[in-house]
Amino acid sequence: MSENFDQSMVTAVSEEYNASEIQVLEGLEAVRKRPGMYIGSTSSSGLHHLVYEIVDNSIDEALAGYCTEITVTINADGTITVVDNGRGIPVDVQAQTGRPALEVVFTVLHAGGKFGGGGYKVSGGLHGVGASVVNALSEWLTVQVHKDGKIHEMKFSRGHITQEMTIVGTTDHTGTTVTFKPDPEMFEDTVYSYDVLHTRMREEAFLNAGLKIKTVDAREGQEQSDEMCYEGGIREFVTYLNKSKDALHDKVIYMSGLKGDSFAEIALQYNDGYQENIISFANNVHTPEGGMHETGFKAALTRVLNNYGIKAGIIKGDDKVSGEDCREGLTAVISVKLTDAQFEGQTKAKLGNSEMRTLVDNVVSDKLDQFLEENPAVARAILDKAMMANRAREAARKARESIRRKSALGGAAMPDKLRDCNENNPELTEIYIVEGDSAGGSATDGRDSRFQAILPLWGKMLNVEKVRADKIYGNDKLQPVIVALGAGLGEDFDINKLRYHKVIIMADADVDGSHIRTLLLTFFFRYMQPLIKEGYVYAAVPPLYKLTRGKTTRVAFSDEERDRVSSEMRGDNANAKIDISRFKGLGEMDPHELWETTMDPERRTLKRITLEDAQRADETFSVLMGEKVEPRKEFIERKAKYAVNLDF
Ligand code: TSJ
């Protein structure tokens, strides 16, 4: 070190460095203080969100044209590794910060997209908050960048650097690898679901035609992997969504258009069912609440079908078909790309850019009309279906009115089977929808009748996938549910009339229980969606095991808990005999047990059902209950390998 070294300069420089370092740490500390603000929640959905945040970066690299393959692995130890073959995150020292770009990406909030990039950057919403958020919420994180013939490595713990950027080897290719362990201090549960990740990655593969995405589960006993690459993009997405249905026409209809920097594409195919299934995306981000792109699509579809119908003499007089009529049995995927996407609404799940309404409307107006002109047989099938839907809707309206009249006369008579509670304020009340009469009996005896109502269901539940709306209203299995909840159905559903603010589905943990849960969720998803959106639907979580030592009894909700409780009960007495039995069903529990383990608000566990859960149930259901044998066989074979767990 030089003799005339100026001590004051060292101080100045390091103070400056300290100041920026402190800012960085404050930023990441903010993430750890309020993780929900950055990733939505610290439940399972937030946990999976970490992976999407990382993968989004690789997808951006693919959109920019430099990455063709992404692999997402759940490692044997439960950590996550994401690998891509892009250019590798830049490693050169940045002028503004004096730090390597790689370090900035992982330590500065919202650093993503600050350099280079281009293409369609995602903005707003929960998406694209970047790698630094994942880093802050990881017990540890390692990144390796293959670039310029060298492997650059850097390590972190809870956002703090534990290893500065180091060259650890040479390489003959480029790309980025990130491995992280979600911090158990930050998440309720750190166990990843392969199904959830795989489903999401499949969606990404559909939305990015030609991009190869692999998913791998390397955990012991659960080993599996999938490779997804769809040259047909969203066309294949629609084929996939319709795979368990009978299509009304062979080919998926595909339309696309550009305006300025924006791009819109739409793929659609009708099936002979009655459900509407429109899935929309903006910059590859799912917009479950729709928004401008969906609005433009619906308006144009209705207009084009009516105009064509009149022109072709299929629709006569002023017998117009409604928007809903035009969407019966429709499966469609809408994907738009734009430079400044505005995500709106409470959950940022809705696209706000009004120019997307115009763009999608124009694309559908031009291209769909042209398609119908060129394919009159397909046009005929679609219009006949819309006309049928129109007639059925009229019948449904009459059925509904007759119910309304009846209940007005009878003073909204409650179902015979309902054991109502005393409290009237819906904010304080809950209803348990229980599978089977015997479990219903135990629940009725065990409940706190001041605020807990019980509705037992029995017999074969209606499959709402298989019938038109008009059959739902009069169905003897569903009517008690509709009447007890008191908020109506479908277009008339009014959440303000809901009689209980907790709707709890209580069914066994076996296949039958799973079946009834799936049926009910599918019903709620299709006909009472606000109920799920507003978070009023729950699944009760009954215990799996009962452990007895002498006069002491405890229960456990998982295999891990069983082992832990068992060793706690054993204490120091290594020879103590602990009797462990498996609860076979709710009906087996006496009322007191049921109250203590599953119904007492102080002790029970409830799982709140999200729209995603319900959507997954709905998909599972279409496959399991649909007409086609092949998809069902494939699904069951796939699941059969890993214990039967058909749950959401
Ligand atoms: F999350 C993350 F940031 F850690 C991350 C980023 C994780 C993974 C698995 C991959 C990536 C990533 C980033 N893959 N590819 C890139 N590309 C860039 O960051 C990049 C490379 C070169 C240039 C350039 O202008 O030369 C620009 C960018 C943005």
Side-chain angles (χ1 to χ4, degrees), residues 468-484:
R468 270 217 177 88
D470 55 318
K471 293 282 185 296
I472 304 281
Y473 302 96
N475 178 264
D476 65 335
K477 298 295 182 297
L478 290 175
Q479 207 180 9
V481 179
I482 302 165
V483 175

Side-chain angles (χ1 to χ4, degrees), residues 53-62 66-67 70 82-90 102 105-106 113 115-118 121 130-132 134 141 143 147 175-178:
E53 281 301 336
I54 295 295
V55 171
D56 271 357
N57 292 276
S58 299
I59 302 239
D60 277 352
E61 186 74 355
Y66 300 101
C67 163
I70 302 170
V82 180
V83 185
D84 75 27
N85 66 347
R87 290 167 295 179
I89 303 175
L102 178 66
V105 165
F106 282 95
F115 46 89
K121 281 274 168 216
S132 59
V134 179
L141 180 148
V143 53
K147 207 177 173 80
T176 305
T177 300
V178 169

Side-chain angles (χ1 to χ4, degrees), residues 192-387:
Y192 276 101
S193 154
Y194 180 79
D195 255 11
V196 170
L197 290 180
H198 167 240
T199 303
R200 171 61 177 253
M201 291 306 123
R202 184 174 53 206
E203 203 170 274
E204 293 281 13
F206 281 129
L207 290 166
N208 296 281
L211 175 63
K212 185 160 159 189
I213 305 186
K214 285 193 211 170
T215 51
V216 180
D217 192 343
R219 288 172 298 190
E220 201 189 319
Q222 308 181 52
E223 291 89 350
Q224 60 184 315
S225 68
D226 291 272
E227 259 190 58
M228 296 154 291
C229 181
Y230 306 105
E231 295 299 338
I234 63 169
R235 293 177 194 80
E236 285 189 63
F237 199 164
V238 168
T239 304
Y240 169 81
L241 293 169
N242 264 346
K243 75 172 188 292
S244 60
K245 314 237 159 85
D246 285 316
L248 219 57
H249 47 103
D250 287 346
K251 270 207 182 146
V252 173
I253 304 172
Y254 177 82
M255 304 164 264
S256 69
L258 276 165
K259 182 154 194 273
D261 283 341
S262 304
F263 171 68
E265 58 176 342
I266 302 105
L268 66 89
Q269 186 183 41
Y270 283 86
N271 60 60
D272 69 356
Y274 309 110
Q275 307 302 341
E276 156 184 342
N277 191 9
I278 300 178
I279 307 186
S280 63
F281 301 85
N283 292 350
N284 294 349
V285 176
H286 188 22
T287 40
E289 288 178 28
M292 290 299 173
H293 49 348
E294 262 191 57
T295 308
F297 170 74
K298 290 178 181 174
L301 180 75
T302 310
R303 199 176 55 244
V304 169
L305 289 185
N306 273 292
N307 287 347
Y308 179 87
I310 292 165
K311 203 165 43 179
I314 302 170
I315 299 177
K316 299 197 175 71
D318 38 30
D319 249 2
K320 287 206 158 181
V321 284
S322 72
E324 284 200 26
D325 297 334
C326 295
R327 299 192 296 273
E328 195 184 271
L330 172 69
T331 298
V333 173
I334 305 167
S335 170
V336 298
K337 305 259 168 71
L338 64 166
T339 35
D340 188 23
Q342 302 296 321
F343 293 97
E344 296 179 344
Q346 249 187 355
T347 53
K348 305 278 181 206
K350 195 171 168 180
L351 182 68
N353 304 63
S354 62
E355 70 274 18
M356 286 303 110
R357 184 182 54 212
T358 321
L359 175 59
V360 176
D361 190 318
N362 288 341
V363 171
V364 175
S365 294
D366 292 356
K367 306 279 167 75
L368 186 60
D369 189 56
Q370 192 186 336
F371 175 89
L372 297 175
E373 292 286 355
E374 289 167 6
N375 300 274
V378 177
R380 176 98 220 175
I382 294 174
L383 273 142
D384 282 349
K385 178 154 178 76
M387 302 277 281

